[in-house]
PDB file of all heavy atoms in Angstrom:
ATOM      1  N   MET A 198     -44.019  -9.479 -58.389  1.00  0.00           N
ATOM      2  CA  MET A 198     -44.239 -10.725 -59.126  1.00  0.00           C
ATOM      3  C   MET A 198     -44.930 -11.765 -58.248  1.00  0.00           C
ATOM      4  O   MET A 198     -45.760 -12.547 -58.722  1.00  0.00           O
ATOM      5  CB  MET A 198     -42.916 -11.273 -59.651  1.00  0.00           C
ATOM      6  CG  MET A 198     -42.231 -10.382 -60.676  1.00  0.00           C
ATOM      7  SD  MET A 198     -43.218 -10.028 -62.153  1.00  0.00           S
ATOM      8  CE  MET A 198     -43.594  -8.275 -61.893  1.00  0.00           C
ATOM      9  N   LEU A 199     -44.603 -11.782 -56.953  1.00  0.00           N
ATOM     10  CA  LEU A 199     -45.295 -12.695 -56.044  1.00  0.00           C
ATOM     11  C   LEU A 199     -46.780 -12.352 -55.969  1.00  0.00           C
ATOM     12  O   LEU A 199     -47.628 -13.250 -55.880  1.00  0.00           O
ATOM     13  CB  LEU A 199     -44.668 -12.635 -54.655  1.00  0.00           C
ATOM     14  CG  LEU A 199     -45.327 -13.532 -53.593  1.00  0.00           C
ATOM     15  CD1 LEU A 199     -45.182 -15.008 -53.974  1.00  0.00           C
ATOM     16  CD2 LEU A 199     -44.731 -13.274 -52.214  1.00  0.00           C
ATOM     17  N   ALA A 200     -47.104 -11.064 -56.009  1.00  0.00           N
ATOM     18  CA  ALA A 200     -48.510 -10.651 -55.978  1.00  0.00           C
ATOM     19  C   ALA A 200     -49.281 -11.244 -57.155  1.00  0.00           C
ATOM     20  O   ALA A 200     -50.438 -11.667 -57.014  1.00  0.00           O
ATOM     21  CB  ALA A 200     -48.609  -9.123 -55.992  1.00  0.00           C
ATOM     22  N   LEU A 201     -48.649 -11.306 -58.316  1.00  0.00           N
ATOM     23  CA  LEU A 201     -49.303 -11.907 -59.481  1.00  0.00           C
ATOM     24  C   LEU A 201     -49.514 -13.409 -59.285  1.00  0.00           C
ATOM     25  O   LEU A 201     -50.568 -13.949 -59.624  1.00  0.00           O
ATOM     26  CB  LEU A 201     -48.469 -11.639 -60.730  1.00  0.00           C
ATOM     27  CG  LEU A 201     -48.520 -10.215 -61.266  1.00  0.00           C
ATOM     28  CD1 LEU A 201     -47.435  -9.986 -62.313  1.00  0.00           C
ATOM     29  CD2 LEU A 201     -49.893  -9.923 -61.859  1.00  0.00           C
ATOM     30  N   VAL A 202     -48.516 -14.093 -58.742  1.00  0.00           N
ATOM     31  CA  VAL A 202     -48.647 -15.525 -58.481  1.00  0.00           C
ATOM     32  C   VAL A 202     -49.808 -15.787 -57.518  1.00  0.00           C
ATOM     33  O   VAL A 202     -50.663 -16.660 -57.757  1.00  0.00           O
ATOM     34  CB  VAL A 202     -47.332 -16.096 -57.912  1.00  0.00           C
ATOM     35  CG1 VAL A 202     -47.519 -17.552 -57.472  1.00  0.00           C
ATOM     36  CG2 VAL A 202     -46.217 -15.993 -58.939  1.00  0.00           C
ATOM     37  N   MET A 203     -49.854 -15.014 -56.444  1.00  0.00           N
ATOM     38  CA  MET A 203     -50.910 -15.216 -55.446  1.00  0.00           C
ATOM     39  C   MET A 203     -52.272 -14.820 -55.997  1.00  0.00           C
ATOM     40  O   MET A 203     -53.299 -15.386 -55.607  1.00  0.00           O
ATOM     41  CB  MET A 203     -50.586 -14.423 -54.184  1.00  0.00           C
ATOM     42  CG  MET A 203     -49.285 -14.825 -53.501  1.00  0.00           C
ATOM     43  SD  MET A 203     -49.242 -16.576 -53.053  1.00  0.00           S
ATOM     44  CE  MET A 203     -50.550 -16.625 -51.825  1.00  0.00           C
ATOM     45  N   ALA A 204     -52.300 -13.854 -56.903  1.00  0.00           N
ATOM     46  CA  ALA A 204     -53.568 -13.451 -57.518  1.00  0.00           C
ATOM     47  C   ALA A 204     -54.129 -14.575 -58.382  1.00  0.00           C
ATOM     48  O   ALA A 204     -55.344 -14.853 -58.363  1.00  0.00           O
ATOM     49  CB  ALA A 204     -53.364 -12.188 -58.356  1.00  0.00           C
ATOM     50  N   VAL A 205     -53.263 -15.249 -59.145  1.00  0.00           N
ATOM     51  CA  VAL A 205     -53.711 -16.399 -59.948  1.00  0.00           C
ATOM     52  C   VAL A 205     -54.229 -17.506 -59.036  1.00  0.00           C
ATOM     53  O   VAL A 205     -55.272 -18.126 -59.300  1.00  0.00           O
ATOM     54  CB  VAL A 205     -52.558 -16.916 -60.829  1.00  0.00           C
ATOM     55  CG1 VAL A 205     -52.968 -18.189 -61.562  1.00  0.00           C
ATOM     56  CG2 VAL A 205     -52.143 -15.850 -61.832  1.00  0.00           C
ATOM     57  N   LEU A 206     -53.517 -17.763 -57.958  1.00  0.00           N
ATOM     58  CA  LEU A 206     -53.924 -18.799 -57.012  1.00  0.00           C
ATOM     59  C   LEU A 206     -55.296 -18.493 -56.423  1.00  0.00           C
ATOM     60  O   LEU A 206     -56.184 -19.359 -56.395  1.00  0.00           O
ATOM     61  CB  LEU A 206     -52.878 -18.925 -55.905  1.00  0.00           C
ATOM     62  CG  LEU A 206     -53.212 -19.872 -54.744  1.00  0.00           C
ATOM     63  CD1 LEU A 206     -53.379 -21.303 -55.252  1.00  0.00           C
ATOM     64  CD2 LEU A 206     -52.121 -19.796 -53.672  1.00  0.00           C
ATOM     65  N   TRP A 207     -55.491 -17.271 -55.961  1.00  0.00           N
ATOM     66  CA  TRP A 207     -56.753 -16.910 -55.327  1.00  0.00           C
ATOM     67  C   TRP A 207     -57.904 -16.906 -56.337  1.00  0.00           C
ATOM     68  O   TRP A 207     -59.023 -17.323 -56.033  1.00  0.00           O
ATOM     69  CB  TRP A 207     -56.647 -15.550 -54.655  1.00  0.00           C
ATOM     70  CG  TRP A 207     -57.815 -15.232 -53.759  1.00  0.00           C
ATOM     71  CD1 TRP A 207     -58.812 -14.325 -53.987  1.00  0.00           C
ATOM     72  CD2 TRP A 207     -58.098 -15.827 -52.492  1.00  0.00           C
ATOM     73  NE1 TRP A 207     -59.699 -14.323 -52.950  1.00  0.00           N
ATOM     74  CE2 TRP A 207     -59.278 -15.234 -52.005  1.00  0.00           C
ATOM     75  CE3 TRP A 207     -57.468 -16.794 -51.728  1.00  0.00           C
ATOM     76  CZ2 TRP A 207     -59.843 -15.580 -50.794  1.00  0.00           C
ATOM     77  CZ3 TRP A 207     -58.032 -17.155 -50.503  1.00  0.00           C
ATOM     78  CH2 TRP A 207     -59.203 -16.554 -50.055  1.00  0.00           C
ATOM     79  N   ASN A 208     -57.608 -16.449 -57.553  1.00  0.00           N
ATOM     80  CA  ASN A 208     -58.652 -16.396 -58.575  1.00  0.00           C
ATOM     81  C   ASN A 208     -59.168 -17.775 -58.930  1.00  0.00           C
ATOM     82  O   ASN A 208     -60.363 -17.947 -59.219  1.00  0.00           O
ATOM     83  CB  ASN A 208     -58.108 -15.714 -59.832  1.00  0.00           C
ATOM     84  CG  ASN A 208     -59.178 -15.430 -60.854  1.00  0.00           C
ATOM     85  OD1 ASN A 208     -60.145 -14.721 -60.584  1.00  0.00           O
ATOM     86  ND2 ASN A 208     -59.030 -15.993 -62.041  1.00  0.00           N
ATOM     87  N   SER A 209     -58.294 -18.773 -58.883  1.00  0.00           N
ATOM     88  CA  SER A 209     -58.703 -20.111 -59.294  1.00  0.00           C
ATOM     89  C   SER A 209     -59.160 -20.997 -58.137  1.00  0.00           C
ATOM     90  O   SER A 209     -59.881 -21.966 -58.350  1.00  0.00           O
ATOM     91  CB  SER A 209     -57.545 -20.811 -60.014  1.00  0.00           C
ATOM     92  OG  SER A 209     -56.448 -20.980 -59.137  1.00  0.00           O
ATOM     93  N   ALA A 210     -58.747 -20.657 -56.914  1.00  0.00           N
ATOM     94  CA  ALA A 210     -59.023 -21.569 -55.801  1.00  0.00           C
ATOM     95  C   ALA A 210     -59.683 -20.878 -54.615  1.00  0.00           C
ATOM     96  O   ALA A 210     -59.656 -21.416 -53.502  1.00  0.00           O
ATOM     97  CB  ALA A 210     -57.721 -22.244 -55.353  1.00  0.00           C
ATOM     98  N   ARG A 211     -60.297 -19.737 -54.830  1.00  0.00           N
ATOM     99  CA  ARG A 211     -60.889 -19.021 -53.689  1.00  0.00           C
ATOM    100  C   ARG A 211     -62.123 -19.700 -53.123  1.00  0.00           C
ATOM    101  O   ARG A 211     -62.590 -19.354 -52.027  1.00  0.00           O
ATOM    102  CB  ARG A 211     -61.210 -17.561 -54.079  1.00  0.00           C
ATOM    103  CG  ARG A 211     -62.113 -17.427 -55.280  1.00  0.00           C
ATOM    104  CD  ARG A 211     -62.055 -16.007 -55.828  1.00  0.00           C
ATOM    105  NE  ARG A 211     -62.759 -15.058 -55.020  1.00  0.00           N
ATOM    106  CZ  ARG A 211     -63.994 -14.607 -55.327  1.00  0.00           C
ATOM    107  NH1 ARG A 211     -64.616 -15.053 -56.404  1.00  0.00           N
ATOM    108  NH2 ARG A 211     -64.578 -13.731 -54.557  1.00  0.00           N
ATOM    109  N   GLU A 212     -62.698 -20.668 -53.849  1.00  0.00           N
ATOM    110  CA  GLU A 212     -63.841 -21.414 -53.338  1.00  0.00           C
ATOM    111  C   GLU A 212     -63.422 -22.771 -52.762  1.00  0.00           C
ATOM    112  O   GLU A 212     -64.271 -23.546 -52.337  1.00  0.00           O
ATOM    113  CB  GLU A 212     -64.862 -21.637 -54.461  1.00  0.00           C
ATOM    114  CG  GLU A 212     -65.429 -20.358 -55.056  1.00  0.00           C
ATOM    115  CD  GLU A 212     -66.261 -19.568 -54.056  1.00  0.00           C
ATOM    116  OE1 GLU A 212     -66.690 -20.151 -53.037  1.00  0.00           O
ATOM    117  OE2 GLU A 212     -66.468 -18.361 -54.279  1.00  0.00           O
ATOM    118  N   SER A 213     -62.117 -23.042 -52.749  1.00  0.00           N
ATOM    119  CA  SER A 213     -61.643 -24.320 -52.223  1.00  0.00           C
ATOM    120  C   SER A 213     -61.754 -24.345 -50.699  1.00  0.00           C
ATOM    121  O   SER A 213     -61.918 -23.308 -50.043  1.00  0.00           O
ATOM    122  CB  SER A 213     -60.196 -24.560 -52.642  1.00  0.00           C
ATOM    123  OG  SER A 213     -59.344 -23.594 -52.057  1.00  0.00           O
ATOM    124  N   LYS A 214     -61.617 -25.544 -50.136  1.00  0.00           N
ATOM    125  CA  LYS A 214     -61.706 -25.680 -48.682  1.00  0.00           C
ATOM    126  C   LYS A 214     -60.625 -24.894 -47.950  1.00  0.00           C
ATOM    127  O   LYS A 214     -60.920 -24.207 -46.967  1.00  0.00           O
ATOM    128  CB  LYS A 214     -61.653 -27.158 -48.306  1.00  0.00           C
ATOM    129  CG  LYS A 214     -61.803 -27.391 -46.804  1.00  0.00           C
ATOM    130  CD  LYS A 214     -61.794 -28.867 -46.468  1.00  0.00           C
ATOM    131  CE  LYS A 214     -61.929 -29.084 -44.948  1.00  0.00           C
ATOM    132  NZ  LYS A 214     -61.915 -30.537 -44.611  1.00  0.00           N
ATOM    133  N   PRO A 215     -59.338 -24.958 -48.395  1.00  0.00           N
ATOM    134  CA  PRO A 215     -58.323 -24.148 -47.701  1.00  0.00           C
ATOM    135  C   PRO A 215     -58.637 -22.655 -47.746  1.00  0.00           C
ATOM    136  O   PRO A 215     -58.403 -21.953 -46.758  1.00  0.00           O
ATOM    137  CB  PRO A 215     -57.037 -24.465 -48.469  1.00  0.00           C
ATOM    138  CG  PRO A 215     -57.280 -25.783 -49.097  1.00  0.00           C
ATOM    139  CD  PRO A 215     -58.732 -25.824 -49.427  1.00  0.00           C
ATOM    140  N   ALA A 216     -59.169 -22.186 -48.866  1.00  0.00           N
ATOM    141  CA  ALA A 216     -59.510 -20.767 -48.966  1.00  0.00           C
ATOM    142  C   ALA A 216     -60.643 -20.411 -48.008  1.00  0.00           C
ATOM    143  O   ALA A 216     -60.638 -19.338 -47.396  1.00  0.00           O
ATOM    144  CB  ALA A 216     -59.889 -20.412 -50.402  1.00  0.00           C
ATOM    145  N   ARG A 217     -61.611 -21.304 -47.868  1.00  0.00           N
ATOM    146  CA  ARG A 217     -62.721 -21.041 -46.939  1.00  0.00           C
ATOM    147  C   ARG A 217     -62.229 -21.013 -45.493  1.00  0.00           C
ATOM    148  O   ARG A 217     -62.714 -20.228 -44.665  1.00  0.00           O
ATOM    149  CB  ARG A 217     -63.823 -22.085 -47.114  1.00  0.00           C
ATOM    150  CG  ARG A 217     -64.545 -21.980 -48.444  1.00  0.00           C
ATOM    151  CD  ARG A 217     -65.857 -22.747 -48.414  1.00  0.00           C
ATOM    152  NE  ARG A 217     -65.654 -24.173 -48.194  1.00  0.00           N
ATOM    153  CZ  ARG A 217     -65.479 -25.058 -49.155  1.00  0.00           C
ATOM    154  NH1 ARG A 217     -65.466 -24.658 -50.420  1.00  0.00           N
ATOM    155  NH2 ARG A 217     -65.312 -26.349 -48.878  1.00  0.00           N
ATOM    156  N   VAL A 218     -61.263 -21.894 -45.182  1.00  0.00           N
ATOM    157  CA  VAL A 218     -60.683 -21.878 -43.826  1.00  0.00           C
ATOM    158  C   VAL A 218     -59.962 -20.554 -43.580  1.00  0.00           C
ATOM    159  O   VAL A 218     -60.119 -19.938 -42.512  1.00  0.00           O
ATOM    160  CB  VAL A 218     -59.717 -23.059 -43.640  1.00  0.00           C
ATOM    161  CG1 VAL A 218     -58.961 -22.932 -42.323  1.00  0.00           C
ATOM    162  CG2 VAL A 218     -60.479 -24.375 -43.694  1.00  0.00           C
ATOM    163  N   LEU A 219     -59.190 -20.121 -44.555  1.00  0.00           N
ATOM    164  CA  LEU A 219     -58.502 -18.831 -44.428  1.00  0.00           C
ATOM    165  C   LEU A 219     -59.498 -17.694 -44.254  1.00  0.00           C
ATOM    166  O   LEU A 219     -59.287 -16.783 -43.441  1.00  0.00           O
ATOM    167  CB  LEU A 219     -57.633 -18.580 -45.657  1.00  0.00           C
ATOM    168  CG  LEU A 219     -56.370 -19.425 -45.798  1.00  0.00           C
ATOM    169  CD1 LEU A 219     -55.787 -19.269 -47.198  1.00  0.00           C
ATOM    170  CD2 LEU A 219     -55.332 -18.990 -44.760  1.00  0.00           C
ATOM    171  N   ALA A 220     -60.582 -17.739 -45.018  1.00  0.00           N
ATOM    172  CA  ALA A 220     -61.594 -16.688 -44.939  1.00  0.00           C
ATOM    173  C   ALA A 220     -62.288 -16.678 -43.585  1.00  0.00           C
ATOM    174  O   ALA A 220     -62.842 -15.638 -43.175  1.00  0.00           O
ATOM    175  CB  ALA A 220     -62.625 -16.869 -46.056  1.00  0.00           C
ATOM    176  N   ALA A 221     -62.264 -17.814 -42.891  1.00  0.00           N
ATOM    177  CA  ALA A 221     -62.856 -17.870 -41.554  1.00  0.00           C
ATOM    178  C   ALA A 221     -61.874 -17.445 -40.476  1.00  0.00           C
ATOM    179  O   ALA A 221     -62.268 -16.839 -39.464  1.00  0.00           O
ATOM    180  CB  ALA A 221     -63.361 -19.287 -41.278  1.00  0.00           C
ATOM    181  N   VAL A 222     -60.566 -17.726 -40.671  1.00  0.00           N
ATOM    182  CA  VAL A 222     -59.570 -17.486 -39.619  1.00  0.00           C
ATOM    183  C   VAL A 222     -58.995 -16.076 -39.669  1.00  0.00           C
ATOM    184  O   VAL A 222     -58.905 -15.394 -38.628  1.00  0.00           O
ATOM    185  CB  VAL A 222     -58.435 -18.526 -39.729  1.00  0.00           C
ATOM    186  CG1 VAL A 222     -57.297 -18.178 -38.773  1.00  0.00           C
ATOM    187  CG2 VAL A 222     -58.964 -19.921 -39.436  1.00  0.00           C
ATOM    188  N   LEU A 223     -58.589 -15.612 -40.856  1.00  0.00           N
ATOM    189  CA  LEU A 223     -57.885 -14.334 -40.943  1.00  0.00           C
ATOM    190  C   LEU A 223     -58.707 -13.136 -40.459  1.00  0.00           C
ATOM    191  O   LEU A 223     -58.144 -12.220 -39.844  1.00  0.00           O
ATOM    192  CB  LEU A 223     -57.387 -14.104 -42.368  1.00  0.00           C
ATOM    193  CG  LEU A 223     -56.180 -14.957 -42.773  1.00  0.00           C
ATOM    194  CD1 LEU A 223     -55.782 -14.695 -44.217  1.00  0.00           C
ATOM    195  CD2 LEU A 223     -54.992 -14.685 -41.851  1.00  0.00           C
ATOM    196  N   PRO A 224     -60.033 -13.080 -40.689  1.00  0.00           N
ATOM    197  CA  PRO A 224     -60.790 -11.959 -40.107  1.00  0.00           C
ATOM    198  C   PRO A 224     -60.704 -11.892 -38.591  1.00  0.00           C
ATOM    199  O   PRO A 224     -60.763 -10.804 -38.010  1.00  0.00           O
ATOM    200  CB  PRO A 224     -62.217 -12.232 -40.581  1.00  0.00           C
ATOM    201  CG  PRO A 224     -62.047 -12.976 -41.860  1.00  0.00           C
ATOM    202  CD  PRO A 224     -60.858 -13.851 -41.631  1.00  0.00           C
ATOM    203  N   TRP A 225     -60.557 -13.051 -37.944  1.00  0.00           N
ATOM    204  CA  TRP A 225     -60.382 -13.025 -36.495  1.00  0.00           C
ATOM    205  C   TRP A 225     -59.032 -12.433 -36.121  1.00  0.00           C
ATOM    206  O   TRP A 225     -58.909 -11.756 -35.088  1.00  0.00           O
ATOM    207  CB  TRP A 225     -60.512 -14.439 -35.927  1.00  0.00           C
ATOM    208  CG  TRP A 225     -61.940 -14.902 -35.868  1.00  0.00           C
ATOM    209  CD1 TRP A 225     -62.557 -15.780 -36.690  1.00  0.00           C
ATOM    210  CD2 TRP A 225     -62.927 -14.465 -34.927  1.00  0.00           C
ATOM    211  NE1 TRP A 225     -63.874 -15.933 -36.345  1.00  0.00           N
ATOM    212  CE2 TRP A 225     -64.129 -15.134 -35.248  1.00  0.00           C
ATOM    213  CE3 TRP A 225     -62.928 -13.585 -33.852  1.00  0.00           C
ATOM    214  CZ2 TRP A 225     -65.308 -14.942 -34.543  1.00  0.00           C
ATOM    215  CZ3 TRP A 225     -64.095 -13.391 -33.138  1.00  0.00           C
ATOM    216  CH2 TRP A 225     -65.274 -14.068 -33.480  1.00  0.00           C
ATOM    217  N   VAL A 226     -58.013 -12.667 -36.948  1.00  0.00           N
ATOM    218  CA  VAL A 226     -56.720 -12.021 -36.716  1.00  0.00           C
ATOM    219  C   VAL A 226     -56.870 -10.504 -36.824  1.00  0.00           C
ATOM    220  O   VAL A 226     -56.341  -9.743 -36.002  1.00  0.00           O
ATOM    221  CB  VAL A 226     -55.672 -12.532 -37.725  1.00  0.00           C
ATOM    222  CG1 VAL A 226     -54.355 -11.774 -37.562  1.00  0.00           C
ATOM    223  CG2 VAL A 226     -55.466 -14.031 -37.557  1.00  0.00           C
ATOM    224  N   LEU A 227     -57.633 -10.064 -37.838  1.00  0.00           N
ATOM    225  CA  LEU A 227     -57.879  -8.630 -37.987  1.00  0.00           C
ATOM    226  C   LEU A 227     -58.671  -8.084 -36.802  1.00  0.00           C
ATOM    227  O   LEU A 227     -58.391  -6.980 -36.312  1.00  0.00           O
ATOM    228  CB  LEU A 227     -58.632  -8.360 -39.288  1.00  0.00           C
ATOM    229  CG  LEU A 227     -57.923  -8.735 -40.593  1.00  0.00           C
ATOM    230  CD1 LEU A 227     -58.808  -8.393 -41.794  1.00  0.00           C
ATOM    231  CD2 LEU A 227     -56.590  -8.015 -40.704  1.00  0.00           C
ATOM    232  N   ALA A 228     -59.652  -8.849 -36.335  1.00  0.00           N
ATOM    233  CA  ALA A 228     -60.461  -8.395 -35.201  1.00  0.00           C
ATOM    234  C   ALA A 228     -59.623  -8.282 -33.934  1.00  0.00           C
ATOM    235  O   ALA A 228     -59.745  -7.302 -33.171  1.00  0.00           O
ATOM    236  CB  ALA A 228     -61.631  -9.353 -34.981  1.00  0.00           C
ATOM    237  N   LEU A 229     -58.757  -9.270 -33.704  1.00  0.00           N
ATOM    238  CA  LEU A 229     -57.886  -9.214 -32.527  1.00  0.00           C
ATOM    239  C   LEU A 229     -56.924  -8.035 -32.622  1.00  0.00           C
ATOM    240  O   LEU A 229     -56.632  -7.376 -31.614  1.00  0.00           O
ATOM    241  CB  LEU A 229     -57.118 -10.525 -32.388  1.00  0.00           C
ATOM    242  CG  LEU A 229     -57.945 -11.751 -31.980  1.00  0.00           C
ATOM    243  CD1 LEU A 229     -57.090 -13.012 -32.013  1.00  0.00           C
ATOM    244  CD2 LEU A 229     -58.541 -11.549 -30.587  1.00  0.00           C
ATOM    245  N   THR A 230     -56.437  -7.765 -33.826  1.00  0.00           N
ATOM    246  CA  THR A 230     -55.560  -6.602 -34.017  1.00  0.00           C
ATOM    247  C   THR A 230     -56.309  -5.312 -33.704  1.00  0.00           C
ATOM    248  O   THR A 230     -55.778  -4.413 -33.029  1.00  0.00           O
ATOM    249  CB  THR A 230     -55.038  -6.566 -35.463  1.00  0.00           C
ATOM    250  OG1 THR A 230     -54.339  -7.783 -35.743  1.00  0.00           O
ATOM    251  CG2 THR A 230     -54.104  -5.384 -35.667  1.00  0.00           C
ATOM    252  N   ALA A 231     -57.538  -5.205 -34.185  1.00  0.00           N
ATOM    253  CA  ALA A 231     -58.346  -4.006 -33.919  1.00  0.00           C
ATOM    254  C   ALA A 231     -58.611  -3.854 -32.428  1.00  0.00           C
ATOM    255  O   ALA A 231     -58.548  -2.738 -31.873  1.00  0.00           O
ATOM    256  CB  ALA A 231     -59.656  -4.078 -34.689  1.00  0.00           C
ATOM    257  N   LEU A 232     -58.905  -4.960 -31.750  1.00  0.00           N
ATOM    258  CA  LEU A 232     -59.134  -4.892 -30.304  1.00  0.00           C
ATOM    259  C   LEU A 232     -57.855  -4.487 -29.572  1.00  0.00           C
ATOM    260  O   LEU A 232     -57.912  -3.718 -28.591  1.00  0.00           O
ATOM    261  CB  LEU A 232     -59.628  -6.249 -29.796  1.00  0.00           C
ATOM    262  CG  LEU A 232     -61.061  -6.637 -30.186  1.00  0.00           C
ATOM    263  CD1 LEU A 232     -61.339  -8.081 -29.804  1.00  0.00           C
ATOM    264  CD2 LEU A 232     -62.064  -5.695 -29.515  1.00  0.00           C
ATOM    265  N   ALA A 233     -56.702  -4.998 -30.027  1.00  0.00           N
ATOM    266  CA  ALA A 233     -55.438  -4.627 -29.395  1.00  0.00           C
ATOM    267  C   ALA A 233     -55.152  -3.139 -29.566  1.00  0.00           C
ATOM    268  O   ALA A 233     -54.685  -2.469 -28.633  1.00  0.00           O
ATOM    269  CB  ALA A 233     -54.303  -5.462 -29.991  1.00  0.00           C
ATOM    270  N   ILE A 234     -55.430  -2.598 -30.758  1.00  0.00           N
ATOM    271  CA  ILE A 234     -55.238  -1.162 -30.992  1.00  0.00           C
ATOM    272  C   ILE A 234     -56.150  -0.349 -30.082  1.00  0.00           C
ATOM    273  O   ILE A 234     -55.740   0.648 -29.471  1.00  0.00           O
ATOM    274  CB  ILE A 234     -55.493  -0.835 -32.472  1.00  0.00           C
ATOM    275  CG1 ILE A 234     -54.413  -1.448 -33.355  1.00  0.00           C
ATOM    276  CG2 ILE A 234     -55.567   0.683 -32.687  1.00  0.00           C
ATOM    277  CD1 ILE A 234     -54.683  -1.340 -34.838  1.00  0.00           C
ATOM    278  N   THR A 235     -57.411  -0.784 -29.968  1.00  0.00           N
ATOM    279  CA  THR A 235     -58.361  -0.084 -29.098  1.00  0.00           C
ATOM    280  C   THR A 235     -57.905  -0.128 -27.642  1.00  0.00           C
ATOM    281  O   THR A 235     -57.940   0.886 -26.931  1.00  0.00           O
ATOM    282  CB  THR A 235     -59.752  -0.722 -29.224  1.00  0.00           C
ATOM    283  OG1 THR A 235     -60.145  -0.753 -30.589  1.00  0.00           O
ATOM    284  CG2 THR A 235     -60.786   0.072 -28.427  1.00  0.00           C
TER     285      THR A 235
END
């Protein structure tokens, strides 16, 4: 049920400033994780 709530949020606000900040920051978390695994 939380997944549905977050899906509505992302669908309506994915172009907002907070969403753009998340889109800039979280890939770096993924990149650091990939580097740590390597």
Side-chain angles (χ1 to χ4, degrees):
M198 296 302 110
L199 179 64
L201 286 168
V202 173
M203 299 303 295
V205 174
L206 174 62
W207 191 252
N208 189 59
S209 63
R211 56 196 286 259
E212 299 295 342
S213 65
K214 183 178 179 180
R217 292 196 298 270
V218 172
L219 288 168
V222 172
L223 286 178
W225 284 104
V226 175
L227 298 180
L229 290 174
T230 302
L232 288 171
I234 292 172
T235 306

